[in-house]
Amino acid sequence: MTDRDDAARDRSRWSDLDRPPLDGTALRRGLVREGGLWTDVEVVQRTGSTNSDLVSRAAEGRAGEGAVLVAEEQTAARGRLDRRWTAPPRSGLFFSVLLAPGEVPVARWGWLPLLTGVAVATGLSRAAGVDTALKWPNDLLVTVGGAERKAGGILAERAGDAGVVIGVGINVTLRADELPVPTAGSLALAGAVSTDRDTLLRGVLRALEQWYGRWRAADGDPGPSGLQETYAAGCATLGRTVRAELPGDRAVTGEAVAVDGDGRLVLATAEGVRQPIGAGDIVHLRPA
């Protein structure tokens, strides 16, 4: 890319007045504090994937726990199962955080994506005034025109032996003609009272800091920390008939009846079996 291209990109930052750029300085001032979880907040204009960047930085010793990397645009963002995540520049929140819960047993680290989902839903409900729900294991749902739509997703990746990078993508001002698929949605389409991305990001990160602190204080136990109960209360998957599409072209259909202590979705099948699902693609078959 030439210097002329860079200059043109900088001038275009304000070309869509409905989508102003994030204020990195204000975000750092509001989130980074002594004794707090967040140690650095960096906003970049464009990158392939904030998750990939932060995993690399952690491996090279250039990022520690509490680092937050935010991109105005991602060109190679990934969701679960290596699905692509695309959105226009500044139309959403695309960020990753580095966590290092060293004192928590590794067997409980699987709760981190679910914990992040609870924090995202909490933060957005407060800051955007939108009712949100969680689809197991990592989707954020909103209601648009009476239909359930996916407005966000979460991806967790190990960063060496001691860290986990959690990536979050949230559609904020995506318009109907910009939706990548008919089942997608955005906070704006769901009637958000605010789409100020600075305010939304601060709300989500503060909620994540609170929930992560509670979870760590309980040694990662989802029961005493209140995480398991709160996740279940906000999970749109529970109480529905679902199909779990599993690795190896296998599938299990049943009613989602619980999220167990390991964060697995428990299905009650027609054969009377309670089948825990630890990984897979979940399809909602019946409205709640």
Side-chain angles (χ1 to χ4, degrees):
M1 181 176 292
T2 67
D3 291 341
R4 181 176 298 176
D5 291 331
D6 286 335
R9 184 175 295 280
D10 287 341
R11 287 195 301 272
S12 71
R13 292 177 69 218
W14 286 96
S15 60
D16 188 340
L17 296 181
D18 290 331
R19 292 172 175 166
L22 292 165
D23 187 336
T25 300
L27 287 168
R28 284 189 291 275
R29 187 166 55 242
L31 291 165
V32 178
R33 58 184 176 79
E34 186 176 355
L37 173 61
W38 309 121
T39 55
D40 182 51
V41 179
E42 180 182 355
V43 178
V44 298
Q45 291 306 306
R46 190 171 189 258
T47 190
S49 162
T50 56
N51 255 36
S52 297
D53 290 351
L54 204 48
V55 168
S56 295
R57 292 184 187 187
E60 296 164 1
R62 296 189 294 118
E65 181 170 49
V68 182
L69 180 61
V70 191
E72 295 283 33
E73 179 184 9
Q74 292 190 104
T75 59
R78 293 168 292 115
R80 288 183 62 251
L81 308 176
D82 286 329
R83 291 176 176 140
R84 292 292 302 275
W85 176 286
T86 60
R90 304 190 307 277
S91 65
L93 289 173
F94 321 116
F95 65 95
S96 297
V97 303
L98 176 59
L99 303 177
E103 74 283 5
V104 174
V106 174
R108 290 175 173 168
W109 289 17
W111 272 97
L112 283 171
L114 307 185
L115 181 154
T116 303
V118 168
V120 170
T122 300
L124 291 181
S125 293
R126 293 172 180 168
V130 170
D131 288 332
T132 56
L134 300 167
K135 177 186 174 187
W136 188 93
N138 65 347
D139 289 346
L140 179 77
L141 305 178
V142 297
T143 301
V144 178
E148 198 173 67
R149 303 285 188 86
K150 177 180 175 179
I154 297 161
L155 178 68
E157 297 183 73
R158 288 293 294 267
D161 294 330
V164 179
V165 169
I166 308 287
V168 179
I170 304 166
N171 294 332
V172 178
T173 60
L174 212 62
R175 298 181 276 265
D177 61 347
E178 297 173 320
L179 296 175
V181 293
T183 54
S186 69
L187 301 184
L189 292 174
V193 297
S194 172
T195 56
D196 182 326
R197 292 182 305 137
D198 288 78
T199 300
L200 299 179
L201 182 57
R202 286 196 298 270
V204 168
L205 289 175
R206 285 169 179 157
L208 180 53
E209 180 175 11
Q210 293 167 0
W211 273 106
Y212 182 62
R214 290 174 61 175
W215 179 76
R216 287 184 68 169
D219 294 324
D221 193 324
S225 66
L227 178 57
Q228 186 175 4
E229 179 180 5
T230 304
Y231 184 87
C235 182
T237 303
L238 294 180
R240 303 172 93 140
T241 299
V242 305
R243 182 175 67 252
E245 298 176 349
L246 309 176
D249 293 326
R250 296 182 301 119
V252 176
T253 298
E255 182 183 354
V257 295
V259 175
D260 70 13
D262 294 320
R264 299 176 300 179
L265 184 69
V266 180
L267 302 187
T269 70
E271 294 76 24
V273 175
R274 290 209 165 198
Q275 176 71 49
I277 305 296
D281 202 19
I282 301 298
V283 179
H284 289 175
L285 300 178
R286 177 171 57 83

